[in-house]
Amino acid sequence: MIVVALDGPSGSGKSSTSKEIAIRAGWNYLDTGALYRAVTFIALSINSEKAEDILNKLALQPITFNSDPRDPKIFIGDLDITEEIRSHDVTEKVSIVSALPEVRAELLQLQRKIISKADRGIVVEGRDIGTVVCPDAALKVFLTADIAARAQRRDAELAAESKGLDSVGASLSARDEIDSTRKVSPLAPAFDAVHIDSTELNLTETVDRIWELLSERSLLGLPIVAILGRPNVGKSTLINRFIGRREAIVEDTPGVTRDRVQYECEWGGRRFIIMDTGGWESKPDGISVQVSASAELAMQEADVLCFVVDAQVGALDEDDILVQELRKAKKPTLLVANKVDGDNDESDAHALWNIGLGEPHFVSALHGRGSGDLLDAIVTLIPEVGAAQVQDGYRRIALIGRPNVGKSSLLNALAGENRSIVDDVAGTTRDPVDELIEFGGSIWRFVDTAGLKKRANQASGTDYYATLRTQTALERCECAVVVLDASVPISEQDLRIITMVEEAGKAMVIVMNKWDLVDEDRRDQLDKEIDRHLDQVEWAQRVNVAAKTGWHRDRLAPALRTAIDSWERRVPTSKLNSFLGALIGATPPPVRGGKQPKVYYATQAGIAPPKFVIFSSGWIEASYRRFIERRLREEFKFPGTPVQVAIRVKERDKEQ
């Protein structure tokens, strides 16, 4: 279950944003502020602010909360008080009542009970969610806005009960003071929360920001598309065509694929999971029984079904039986006629209309004919949030480097125990070792990878596959820890690995390991090597450690947090353009072809890593683009992450 913790002061937009996120993801929703308002309503009804009196009343008439984001309601016993808790009287008293330690302790248990009942995910909003209620939430967001914007929003909510913007603003300020200074669970952002200022954002923009974070952290289940059919109809060949590489095993022998194997696919900007299944048989025997059962399970798990038929053979009796099973699944289903290599084959394949699954999609998995049209059809059917298992929300950190630089030793040092096999022989680790490790006050998912000896295209055998797995681990991580052996000179392979991380667009921390072997002479030499070789990545966080002894291992957590925070940082458009205007005014772009390009404006196109697009009237030199990047770093500070700057020529609608 995914928990999204959304904290912030009153009027920052927490409720509206949380409900929209929950609706979009198909998750539950909990307004913890409504619980405290309900308790305040009780206090007003019994005319007492004593914790004992409130809790006694609460025991007789417990609070229940309907977690449907489309229609959230709160009850005291059987009484619906959803509207009553928004009154001016409740608003004025809620901070006082919610500051009572006994009340907070009681509601804390209630909140966690409601959260535990959520099936897939829940968005929880309040003031201490990330710090107290759900300290292990997959995503923590601290949403804020300036007092003027918050006052306007709250004034609109109060409508007829409003006493004017000044009065509302003063009330909010007073409540902020109480909430942030109370002794128990004060209003404060969690140390690992993402800060979002909604002052200049509308609801859609705020929701999109958080949705972007959920997507980047793989917290949204991807849709699953199951490829089903009899043995040897070309399912695995079709999979390879979809993913653009030969990964699913293909042979002429029927029954090569047995297990359900999942591959990530992207088409038209949509990511989804393609599930390859074993050939389904109506009367299986031996191992075919398990294969067919696995295919039937895939029907239940998937969001969309693709039924593949060999158009050269046509529909068989077994296909009719499988069609009946597909109809029982009640899932969107596409009929795929494979091995249609030309127009003549397509004419013959029209007979597959008789199967009763609608229009056949004619493809040749081997040659690619019709595969794009089929993917277009799939994308129109898949939901925005699918049934695929999501990540656990822990930050993913890949340990990469040359063989024998101490990656496994560092993993063991961070874990405080031997999690990875360590040997003096280079290349001990071959497969990525995935471990959850708690250190520095957080839980991290570390992946210890095989040492990269050479380029992937120069490797062979075991080394080749180990290199590919390491590259996959890099693609899936958020931050790469590049481990270097500080006791030996920085090698060309070290620099190649650093470049690989930079080009992958990942946050980066460079760890100088084996610092216990570095003497004074080597230290002076290392400083010169860093100045000479690492000047292009001077933005990377750097930590000196001795993995074997654990020396300075505690310094890695702050470096990781800094790098990841920068990786996900967004610069407000107004500040960005103010900076760019001043920069262009002081140092205009160079003249090219007798014309000086005019810079119109800039926008941040994305995060992870930060991506900036500058719109201009003409082409801008790469050197000036690098100059802008350096100044961006000086102005807004992006330690630990690459920054991408692109130029879009507005007149010609071209991008360089």
Side-chain angles (χ1 to χ4, degrees), residues 159-214:
E161 291 192 27
S162 175
K163 295 184 179 180
L165 283 177
D166 292 341
S167 177
V168 173
S171 177
L172 289 175
S173 297
R175 188 172 176 188
D176 289 347
E177 178 67 20
I178 296 173
D179 289 345
S180 57
T181 57
R182 63 180 178 231
K183 294 182 179 180
V184 182
S185 306
L187 169 65
F191 70 88
D192 53 349
V194 178
H195 291 246
I196 296 177
D197 189 338
S198 69
T199 302
E200 298 180 2
L201 302 177
N202 59 33
L203 177 58
T204 301
E205 291 170 332
T206 307
V207 170
D208 286 345
R209 292 274 179 94
I210 298 175
W211 196 262
E212 189 178 37
L213 290 169
L214 289 168

Side-chain angles (χ1 to χ4, degrees), residues 241-554:
R241 177 63 59 183
F242 284 171
I243 64 178
R245 60 187 185 276
R246 187 182 173 96
E247 190 158 333
I249 300 173
V250 177
E251 287 186 14
D252 290 334
T253 308
V256 172
T257 303
R258 292 177 174 176
D259 298 305
R260 286 170 292 145
V261 186
Q262 298 185 3
Y263 306 94
E264 190 169 314
C265 180
E266 184 172 350
W267 184 259
R270 295 292 307 277
R271 291 166 57 229
F272 53 94
I273 300 294
I274 290 285
M275 183 186 291
D276 194 9
T277 64
W280 187 90
E281 299 179 46
S282 60
K283 297 179 180 178
D285 58 0
I287 196 171
S288 297
V289 175
Q290 298 179 46
V291 174
S292 295
S294 181
E296 290 173 11
L297 190 59
M299 294 184 204
Q300 301 173 18
E301 294 180 355
D303 298 290
V304 175
L305 309 176
C306 284
F307 177 43
V308 184
V309 179
D310 186 341
Q312 301 286 344
V313 176
L316 303 181
D317 291 341
E318 278 191 309
D319 291 320
D320 292 333
I321 298 172
L322 181 53
V323 168
Q324 294 176 20
E325 297 296 323
L326 291 169
R327 286 175 176 154
K328 291 178 184 176
K330 297 181 179 179
K331 302 285 181 68
T333 304
L334 294 172
L335 174 61
V336 181
N338 190 28
K339 304 182 184 181
V340 180
D341 299 327
D343 293 338
N344 291 333
D345 294 330
E346 186 171 322
S347 299
D348 296 337
H350 276 284
L352 295 175
W353 274 91
N354 296 328
I355 289 179
L357 289 178
E359 182 180 2
H361 293 265
F362 305 120
V363 301
S364 173
L366 187 61
H367 302 110
R369 185 178 189 267
S371 59
D373 293 337
L374 177 57
L375 284 166
D376 287 340
I378 289 173
V379 167
T380 62
L381 293 176
I382 57 176
E384 188 170 17
V385 180
Q389 193 72 27
V390 300
Q391 298 289 338
D392 48 26
Y394 298 118
R395 296 298 199 175
R396 299 181 301 280
I397 313 297
L399 297 172
I400 66 173
R402 290 185 296 108
N404 220 31
V405 293
K407 300 184 295 297
S408 298
S409 297
L410 179 60
L411 180 73
N412 292 339
L414 295 174
E417 58 182 306
N418 292 332
R419 300 279 187 95
S420 252
I421 299 173
V422 175
D423 198 280
D424 290 336
V425 178
T428 302
T429 302
R430 288 181 173 176
D431 294 302
V433 178
D434 194 319
E435 295 285 353
L436 281 177
I437 295 176
E438 183 176 0
F439 85 103
S442 299
I443 298 175
W444 313 79
R445 183 170 294 282
F446 277 89
V447 183
D448 183 17
T449 65
L452 296 173
K453 298 180 180 178
K454 55 184 74 173
R455 299 175 189 259
N457 58 4
Q458 297 175 348
S460 61
T462 304
D463 290 340
Y464 173 76
Y465 288 104
T467 301
L468 288 184
R469 294 186 188 106
T470 298
Q471 290 176 338
T472 301
L474 175 61
E475 291 170 3
R476 293 177 178 175
C477 79
E478 293 165 296
C479 181
V481 174
V482 181
V483 184
L484 306 182
D485 186 344
S487 66
V488 300
I490 297 174
S491 69
E492 183 182 349
Q493 182 65 359
D494 289 326
L495 300 179
R496 191 177 292 123
I497 292 168
I498 290 172
T499 301
M500 183 174 70
V501 174
E502 184 181 14
E503 290 177 348
K506 303 298 181 181
M508 179 162 46
V509 175
I510 297 175
V511 168
M512 295 292 183
N513 191 27
K514 305 185 183 182
W515 201 258
D516 51 328
L517 304 179
V518 177
D519 55 22
E520 195 71 31
D521 292 338
R522 174 58 192 150
R523 193 170 301 177
D524 293 338
Q525 186 183 357
L526 184 59
D527 288 338
K528 295 176 182 177
E529 291 174 7
I530 291 172
D531 292 337
R532 186 168 61 252
H533 297 304
L534 303 184
D535 59 323
Q536 293 299 316
V537 289
E538 59 182 1
W539 46 263
Q541 296 285 283
R542 203 162 62 242
V543 181
N544 303 327
V545 303
K548 278 193 174 182
T549 63
W551 182 77
H552 276 185
R553 68 178 181 180
D554 57 319

Side-chain angles (χ1 to χ4, degrees), residues 20-70:
E20 287 298 319
I21 291 287
I23 291 170
R24 191 170 173 181
W27 295 342
N28 288 358
Y29 161 72
L30 173 59
D31 178 3
T32 61
L35 301 182
Y36 285 103
R37 284 176 172 272
V39 172
T40 306
F41 180 86
I42 290 175
L44 291 172
S45 68
I46 61 176
N47 197 27
S48 174
E49 295 177 5
K50 294 181 178 179
E52 184 181 0
D53 295 339
I54 295 171
L55 294 179
N56 287 337
K57 181 69 173 180
L58 194 58
L60 297 173
Q61 293 183 304
I63 296 172
T64 55
F65 187 85
N66 172 25
S67 297
D68 182 358
R70 297 182 185 278

